[in-house]
Amino acid sequence: MNRLNIYVLLCLFLALISFGCLQQEVVANKTKDSNEKMLNEKDEAMETSILGGGCFWCTEAVFERVDGVKEVISGYAGGEIPNPTYKQICTGETGHAEVIKIIFDPSKISYAKILEIFGDCHNPTTLNKQGADEGTQYRSTIMFLSEDQKNQAQKWKKELAEKFEDPIVTEIVPAPTFYIAEDYHQDYFRKNPNQGYCTFVIRPKLKKLNLE
């Protein structure tokens, strides 16, 4: 076999290898794109609600145990200053409420059910107060993200009012900017199950709701 034939065969061999690698890269990219699309579609299928019912350690612990809830994030909303700290909102002077952002799958749990649980896990008749926690930061609040959420919240409040002698003081307001609370507040009950507040306030609430 002369050198020309050897050269031609070598070029063909290299071309086949390159084509094979290219095909693998295309398949890998398609798989990656498909996975990313699935993740995006999954995220798009989720809905969000923002609620405040006293100390966010309590409400977070409740909704983290609810089927259909993907994630619960503790934070602050409804105040006058950006990026508030826990120390600042504890003064009650910033206007923020301790709230939770709930990411949920509407195919597994409805917003109406979220509100029902919200009504069961705190007292909606005490103004700026939940148990021993007092101040505007502990107010009962529903911060709606759509007209549908607003309408459902108003319906919930009206129906709940028929079950209580005292007025329902839960505010229903458009969702303002949500600020994530400090890391040590996230998953507080799960990380600190034997802390005093968790033992004497949160755990009895979870047992009452059959969540523990």
Side-chain angles (χ1 to χ4, degrees):
M1 185 178 293
N2 59 39
R3 291 181 179 179
L4 179 60
N5 289 337
I6 294 174
Y7 177 74
V8 171
L9 288 174
L10 181 60
C11 288
L12 287 172
F13 179 70
L14 292 174
L16 287 172
I17 292 176
S18 297
F19 180 74
C21 292
L22 180 61
Q23 286 293 92
Q24 289 180 356
E25 183 178 355
V26 169
V27 171
N29 286 338
K30 284 184 177 179
T31 302
K32 179 181 178 183
D33 291 341
S34 177
N35 288 339
E36 288 180 351
K37 183 178 180 182
M38 288 175 64
L39 287 172
N40 290 335
E41 288 177 348
K42 185 177 180 180
D43 289 339
E44 288 175 2
M46 298 295 138
E47 291 187 14
T48 301
S49 64
I50 299 177
L51 307 171
C55 175
F56 48 27
W57 295 347
C58 289
T59 48
E60 178 193 68
V62 168
F63 281 98
E64 282 186 335
R65 286 161 174 74
V66 173
D67 186 42
V69 171
K70 178 184 178 183
E71 187 176 6
V72 184
I73 306 166
S74 291
Y76 316 116
E80 300 172 356
I81 63 172
N83 300 306
T85 65
Y86 184 62
K87 184 177 180 179
Q88 287 174 318
I89 72 104
C90 279
T91 65
E93 297 176 358
T94 69
H96 293 87
E98 289 193 13
V99 297
I100 55 171
K101 178 182 285 189
I102 304 169
I103 313 299
F104 65 98
D105 184 346
S107 69
K108 294 182 179 180
I109 185 170
S110 66
Y111 183 66
K113 184 62 178 180
I114 293 284
L115 294 179
E116 179 185 331
I117 296 170
F118 173 64
D120 290 339
C121 75
H122 83 297
N123 188 340
T125 69
T126 53
L127 184 64
N128 302 328
K129 184 179 187 299
Q130 287 296 312
D133 298 320
E134 294 189 49
T136 57
Q137 67 270 33
Y138 299 116
R139 64 185 180 272
S140 177
T141 179
I142 298 173
M143 298 176 172
F144 60 85
L145 291 100
S146 67
E147 274 301 304
D148 181 58
Q149 286 193 358
K150 175 184 178 181
N151 294 335
Q152 290 195 60
Q154 290 174 337
K155 179 183 178 183
W156 167 87
K157 186 173 181 177
K158 182 178 179 180
E159 292 177 350
L160 197 65
E162 298 173 359
K163 302 177 182 179
F164 286 85
E165 293 183 4
D166 296 326
I168 304 299
V169 297
T170 305
E171 65 175 14
I172 299 174
V173 297
T177 302
F178 175 88
Y179 299 101
I180 299 177
E182 294 83 349
D183 286 345
Y184 69 90
H185 288 301
Q186 309 303 327
D187 304 311
Y188 192 85
F189 178 75
R190 181 174 61 80
K191 294 175 181 176
N192 307 277
N194 298 316
Q195 192 260 10
Y197 191 92
C198 295
T199 299
F200 298 107
V201 178
I202 300 179
R203 181 163 283 114
K205 186 186 295 286
L206 295 176
K207 289 182 178 178
K208 179 182 177 181
L209 296 170
N210 296 316
L211 293 173
E212 188 178 67

